[in-house]
Amino acid sequence: MLNLVLFGPPGAGKGTQSAKLLEKYGLHHISTGDMFRGHIKQQTELGQQVSQIIADGKLVPDSITIAMLEEEIKNNPQAKGFIFDGFPRTVAQAEALDDSLKSIGSEITGVIALDVDEAELTQRIAKRQEISGRADDAADKLTKRIEEYFNKTIKVLPFYEKQGKLTKVSGVGSIDGIFNELTQVIDNY
Ligand code: ADP
């Protein structure tokens, strides 16, 4: 299996690059952000539990996020591999992901971190909000999301670095240029 984690701060381009990667490599895309938004839209019980947390730009508690992810892995036994987008965002999530993949006889192949500086991120999301209308893209909520990233999520990087699984790629440039860089990393696994 080819199991990739696409890592990076809000607005780094994870969603855009994931869409291209899953087409090229035939992977199953797991975006926890998209899954949560789906639940909110369908007004499921889970959606009701998380909607305020997400609107505030905070991280959803690990217990909820991990349970949702484990179910998604279990429900896709035919997958050639997974691309994880927006997960793991905490070290506890990274550990749970290792366990979950182990239980199906697999592991993370590699983690690619998209590097984008904070000024560029703020600019990109301001633009995105005009199109997406996502409440959590509003300036004050975005500040909270970036804060959560630098307080909690960034700690996931040394977790994978220690395992020798981390590669950093610049997330600034053309979409196709960045995609090419990513495919070069993946084709070397
Ligand atoms: P972005 O990468 O632009 O911040 P996402 O779509 O990945 O957006 O996530 C949107 C929101 O969903 C996050 O701000 C957070 O509230 C919640 N969320 C998504 N994934 C996770 C996760 N792995 N752990 C906790 N919360 C999450």
Side-chain angles (χ1 to χ4, degrees), residues 8-12 14 31-34 36-37 50 53-55 57-62 65 85-90 93 125 128 134 136-137 145:
K14 299 186 295 288
S31 158
T32 42
D34 284 351
F36 285 135
R37 281 185 289 278
V50 302
I53 302 171
I54 291 179
K58 295 184 200 152
L59 288 187
V60 173
D62 282 338
T65 309
D85 160 7
F87 185 98
R89 267 173 151 98
T90 64
Q93 290 181 13
I125 299 191
R128 179 170 85 185
R134 265 175 59 176
D136 64 340
D137 278 347
R145 276 161 59 208

Side-chain angles (χ1 to χ4, degrees), residues 118-128 142:
E118 211 173 315
E120 168 84 15
L121 294 174
T122 312
Q123 233 181 36
R124 284 187 190 179
I125 299 191
K127 226 191 252 169
R128 179 170 85 185
L142 173 63

Side-chain angles (χ1 to χ4, degrees), residues 69-175:
L69 177 106
E70 283 175 345
E71 201 184 313
E72 183 70 10
I73 291 180
K74 237 190 277 157
N75 286 343
N76 287 282
Q78 80 298 345
K80 274 171 56 186
F82 294 100
I83 179 158
F84 299 98
D85 160 7
F87 185 98
R89 267 173 151 98
T90 64
V91 173
Q93 290 181 13
E95 286 168 346
L97 179 58
D98 277 356
D99 289 346
S100 198
L101 290 173
K102 214 179 195 173
S103 77
I104 57 164
S106 196
E107 61 174 354
I108 290 294
T109 312
V111 177
I112 307 178
L114 286 172
D115 235 353
V116 181
D117 65 71
E118 211 173 315
E120 168 84 15
L121 294 174
T122 312
Q123 233 181 36
R124 284 187 190 179
I125 299 191
K127 226 191 252 169
R128 179 170 85 185
Q129 208 221 350
E130 290 170 19
I131 307 161
S132 77
R134 265 175 59 176
D136 64 340
D137 278 347
D140 56 328
K141 305 300 190 279
L142 173 63
T143 306
K144 181 70 196 164
R145 276 161 59 208
I146 294 181
E147 191 187 302
E148 291 279 72
Y149 177 79
F150 286 106
N151 282 337
K152 297 175 186 161
T153 305
I154 203 95
K155 297 190 179 121
V156 173
L157 288 178
F159 177 88
Y160 288 119
E161 203 159 25
K162 268 185 247 156
Q163 298 183 20
K165 289 188 173 171
L166 180 68
T167 309
K168 289 185 184 167
V169 166
S170 170
V172 182
S174 72
I175 290 175

